[in-house]
Amino acid sequence: MSLLSQLNEEIACCQDCDLAQHRNRVVPGEGSEKAAILFIGEAPGWHEDQQGRPFVGPAGHFLDELLDSIGLSRKDVYIANVVKCRPPSNRDPLPAEMRACRKWLDRQIEIIKPKMIVTLGRYSLAQFFPGDAIGKVRGRARKKQGMLYYAMYHPAAALHQQSLRRVIEEDMLRIPSLLAEAEEVEEAEPEAKQLSMF
Ligand code: URA
């Protein structure tokens, strides 16, 4: 059994916050254990809680389209969430719930070792850059402790606010070149800290 499957079994038994009382299914995440890109959303919604899979509702359909626009599918990347269980009535996750769930995200990152983490929405952004405003930093790639982070609006934002759809689509289209540049710099100069496009 792969390390990620073992981890997902552990996550499925988690009782570390109150969300465990309300969930139907745990939603650990899915995709390739060798993914170069890890997308991190906020929390499972109703559809995800029913199926135990991330991003399978309307926001997920848009995420699938976005992946397709850069020639990728779910099996090429890894998709996870900040919290692995659905908050009741789709409310925002609470700070204590995010704190309790953080260890799972950290272990997913440790196992997958992605080249790039794409945060989807403000809760995901706040896990790595607390205090940053998503409206200011979206579309910007940054390196922190050797990891490339890229902030995007949550795909659901486009469903509520049509004007954001284009912004999200354009931000997605920049991912391949950012990743390629990060990989080139890594190969050429292992110690390189700065990439020209950041
Ligand atoms: N929204 C999220 O943030 N994650 C999901 O898995 C589905 C919707």
Side-chain angles (χ1 to χ4, degrees):
M1 190 190 275
S2 74
L3 286 174
L4 210 46
S5 312
Q6 280 175 38
L7 177 64
N8 289 352
E9 288 200 352
E10 273 186 65
I11 299 175
C13 301
C14 182
Q15 298 286 335
D16 292 350
C17 81
D18 284 349
L19 294 182
Q21 318 305 316
H22 305 279
R23 73 185 175 219
N24 187 39
R25 304 270 300 265
V26 177
V27 183
E30 72 178 23
S32 165
E33 184 156 346
K34 298 191 178 83
I37 311 173
L38 170 61
F39 288 87
I40 305 174
E42 180 181 318
W46 186 85
H47 296 276
E48 292 76 21
D49 178 67
Q50 294 294 309
Q51 295 185 38
R53 297 179 57 211
F55 281 96
V56 288
H61 296 147
F62 183 39
L63 181 59
D64 286 339
E65 280 176 36
L66 292 167
L67 287 172
D68 190 53
S69 76
I70 56 170
L72 296 177
S73 70
R74 283 173 178 256
K75 63 177 175 22
D76 302 312
V77 300
Y78 201 84
I79 303 173
N81 280 304
V82 171
V83 297
K84 313 302 188 197
C85 300
R86 180 190 181 217
S89 316
N90 290 354
R91 65 157 168 74
D92 292 338
L94 302 175
E97 293 160 356
M98 291 188 277
R99 273 196 304 277
C101 222
R102 178 60 195 249
K103 58 184 174 295
W104 302 128
L105 189 57
D106 286 339
R107 285 179 63 190
Q108 288 175 318
I109 295 169
E110 221 175 274
I111 293 171
I112 299 165
K113 296 188 179 54
K115 299 243 182 299
M116 183 177 194
I117 288 180
V118 180
T119 57
L120 301 172
R122 63 196 169 105
Y123 288 95
S124 177
L125 172 67
Q127 290 298 306
F128 306 99
F129 299 96
D132 274 12
I134 190 151
K136 285 209 173 132
V137 302
R138 58 130 278 274
R140 196 200 291 174
R142 289 179 277 182
K143 248 194 170 175
K144 184 174 153 187
Q145 289 159 1
M147 177 67 75
L148 180 60
Y149 292 89
Y150 186 59
M152 287 180 57
Y153 284 124
H154 193 287
L159 309 177
H160 305 302
Q161 211 176 320
Q162 186 62 26
S163 61
L164 291 182
R165 193 178 183 94
R166 189 75 180 272
V167 176
I168 296 173
E169 288 169 347
E170 286 174 3
D171 285 349
M172 190 75 164
L173 291 175
R174 291 191 58 225
I175 289 179
S177 56
L178 288 167
L179 186 61
E181 195 191 353
E183 283 174 338
E184 264 168 39
V185 171
E186 235 168 59
E187 273 172 33
E189 308 171 51
E191 298 304 316
K193 294 261 185 321
Q194 283 297 320
L195 302 182
S196 64
M197 56 204 320
F198 308 145

